[in-house]
Amino acid sequence: MWLLRCLCLVPGFLAISPLRAQTEATKTLKIAVFAPVYLDSAFNGDMYKLGRNNIPKIILPGLDFYNGVMMAIDSLNADKAPIEVLVYDSKTAASSIENLSTSPEFNEVSLIIASFTTRAEIKPMADFAGEKKIPLISATYPNDGGLTNNPYFVMINPNLSTHIEALYRHLQRNYPLENILVFRRKGNPGNLIQFMLTDMNKKTGGIPLKIKTIELADNFTVKQVTAHLDSNRQNIVVCGALDEAFGLKLTKAFSASKNYHSTIIGMPTWDGIRDIGKDLDITYSTPYNLTRTDKLSQQLTIRYRNKYAGRPSDMFFKGFESMYHFTRLLMKHGSGLIGHLSDRDYKLFADFDILPARSNKESLQPDYLENKKIYFIRRVEGRIKSVS
């Protein structure tokens, strides 16, 4: 029921005028936010059409990102921040950048914050942002969408090569002499992940890692996994696939094999999967340091529970942090924001290290800006054990 209450807040806000923070002393800054809420699928006009107890899973991440953005706006409004916020459902045709670019309400936008769900969505909006010189914060996975020559596209979730480089360093630091098993899917991006790990192993200045790669079909069995495990030692396992279904099935295979002690290291796509590895020792990479143990996280969790009678997902905190942190930096630096994206003045949960990324090292213009800061979250039986 709390989800239905969340959804019922969305249509009116997205369909009418934007929120305004009240101030007289400072010029109002206009910010556009795009969240994948799928209103056309859920509503017929103002009527929710999917039934009181039927909330499709596809709606939930975007909805919680939206809830995080809204709670951040509440905090900014309480501080009388000089902002005007336009919030759009990125899954409606009316919210396409082609339509909005000619809309009067979209004039003079100083910042765009977006939660994309497909790579195809990225380029049209990134091209618009680059042409208008508006910083576009891509807050969630997926990543770059094949962009080039766009110094106004800001990727908070680093691309795969950055994650794999960090993963390799993590393995070197923590398991330099252990046997490491990489379970992967056939095809890309499994091929790419295997190639990058092999290439880094050849080029390392230290002792190469002992990596063995095992390719599994999508219908693999528990026995096909355990055939490669050692019951007499801790197994260090890497999931070499971005596919969430593959990762879930792999962790379930280890849950069914408690005689084998294993540490499982997952991909950045594990960041948003609530039920993955709850009874296991798992580690995954993420640009967001969402331990939920700090004072602010606990306060936000209470506010969320009081408002929606539920528990916030990581997408809620990503929405809150993206909206609050980058709005505050915009208020401080104005049109110079693009040069101050790594500033820590308004840090909430994570440090961001946003640097130019170039596919051609001789190019003066970056392909995009990328956050290079990656955290490794270790969970043991569902509880956060450490962050590195």
Side-chain angles (χ1 to χ4, degrees):
M1 288 304 297
W2 69 272
L3 289 171
L4 183 54
R5 270 179 271 161
C6 292
L7 275 172
C8 288
L9 293 174
V10 177
F13 179 76
L14 294 184
I16 60 175
S17 59
L19 277 178
R20 294 179 184 270
Q22 298 302 313
T23 182
E24 296 179 359
T26 312
K27 176 186 174 183
T28 299
L29 298 166
K30 188 180 287 189
I31 301 163
V33 178
F34 291 83
V37 191
Y38 296 88
L39 293 184
D40 288 348
S41 301
F43 286 87
N44 183 8
D46 289 338
M47 296 296 295
Y48 183 68
K49 63 184 182 182
L50 300 180
R52 293 177 64 83
N53 297 312
N54 183 17
I55 308 291
K57 287 186 178 181
I58 195 172
I59 291 177
L60 303 184
L63 175 61
D64 238 14
F65 185 85
Y66 164 84
N67 288 333
V69 166
M70 292 300 294
M71 200 167 286
I73 291 172
D74 289 344
S75 296
L76 291 163
N77 271 328
D79 294 338
K80 300 188 182 303
I83 57 171
E84 177 182 336
V85 184
L86 308 163
V87 184
Y88 301 96
D89 176 12
S90 59
K91 294 301 180 180
T92 64
S95 295
S96 70
I97 196 64
E98 292 81 4
N99 289 332
L100 293 175
S101 61
T102 58
S103 171
E105 73 173 16
F106 211 72
N107 288 338
E108 298 182 357
V109 166
S110 299
L111 174 66
I112 302 172
I113 298 171
S115 175
F116 295 108
T117 59
T118 66
R119 296 182 83 218
E121 295 174 321
I122 296 174
K123 194 172 188 313
M125 194 175 297
D127 287 347
F128 172 82
E131 179 185 345
K132 300 295 183 181
K133 295 181 169 53
I134 304 169
L136 166 55
I137 309 296
S138 177
T140 57
Y141 181 85
N143 311 76
D144 61 274
L147 297 180
T148 58
N149 199 33
N150 192 333
Y152 286 87
F153 182 76
V154 185
M155 205 163 66
I156 300 302
N157 189 53
N159 64 31
L160 181 59
S161 62
T162 301
H163 276 283
I164 299 302
E165 288 170 9
L167 169 62
Y168 188 85
R169 292 193 298 270
H170 178 81
L171 292 170
Q172 272 194 321
R173 185 166 55 249
N174 294 284
Y175 312 105
L177 303 177
E178 302 290 335
N179 294 320
I180 298 167
L181 301 174
V182 179
F183 289 94
R184 52 154 293 190
R185 292 179 78 205
K186 185 177 182 179
N188 284 321
N191 292 341
L192 182 58
I193 292 171
Q194 181 175 348
F195 170 80
M196 287 189 288
L197 287 173
T198 302
D199 189 55
M200 282 182 271
N201 223 18
K202 290 178 181 177
K203 295 178 179 177
T204 182
I207 300 173
L209 296 172
K210 302 174 186 176
I211 298 175
K212 178 182 178 182
T213 302
I214 301 102
E215 185 178 289
L216 297 174
D218 287 343
N219 61 346
F220 68 85
T221 64
V222 173
K223 188 173 289 188
Q224 287 173 318
V225 173
T226 57
H228 300 278
L229 304 182
D230 188 338
S231 60
N232 296 315
R233 63 187 302 173
Q234 185 81 358
N235 296 281
I236 308 302
V237 174
V238 175
C239 175
L242 294 177
D243 183 75
E244 293 180 12
F246 183 91
L248 274 168
K249 187 170 184 179
L250 186 64
T251 57
K252 287 177 181 178
F254 282 95
S255 294
S257 310
K258 291 298 180 65
N259 292 332
Y260 298 92
H261 299 288
S262 304
T263 294
I264 303 115
I265 301 171
M267 289 287 111
T269 47
W270 288 22
D271 186 15
I273 308 176
R274 279 194 177 189
D275 298 325
I276 196 162
K278 280 192 171 181
D279 56 344
L280 299 172
D281 181 347
I282 69 167
T283 299
Y284 57 85
S285 58
T286 174
Y288 287 95
N289 184 21
L290 302 178
T291 63
R292 305 194 188 214
T293 56
D294 58 284
K295 185 177 180 180
L296 176 58
S297 294
Q298 292 172 351
Q299 290 173 343
L300 290 174
T301 298
I302 292 170
R303 287 171 60 184
Y304 187 98
R305 185 168 60 242
N306 291 340
K307 190 168 186 177
Y308 303 120
R311 183 175 180 269
S313 70
D314 283 358
M315 287 294 285
F316 166 82
F317 290 101
K318 292 176 184 180
F320 187 95
E321 183 166 34
S322 299
M323 182 68 209
Y324 190 91
H325 176 73
F326 291 107
T327 296
R328 281 293 188 186
L329 288 180
L330 175 66
M331 290 165 56
K332 180 175 181 179
H333 298 290
S335 59
L337 170 64
I338 204 73
H340 294 274
L341 293 168
S342 297
D343 287 11
R344 299 178 181 179
D345 297 4
Y346 303 101
K347 173 184 173 179
L348 298 184
F349 311 119
D351 290 321
F352 297 120
D353 185 17
I354 297 171
L355 300 171
R358 295 178 175 86
S359 54
N360 181 355
K361 293 183 179 180
E362 296 180 1
S363 174
L364 296 177
Q365 185 94 300
D367 292 331
Y368 46 82
L369 303 182
E370 179 187 14
N371 172 34
K372 296 287 188 177
K373 178 69 176 181
I374 292 180
Y375 294 88
F376 283 89
I377 309 291
R378 184 187 176 201
R379 296 181 184 271
V380 180
E381 295 184 347
R383 295 178 179 270
I384 291 178
K385 188 76 172 179
S386 63
V387 179
S388 59

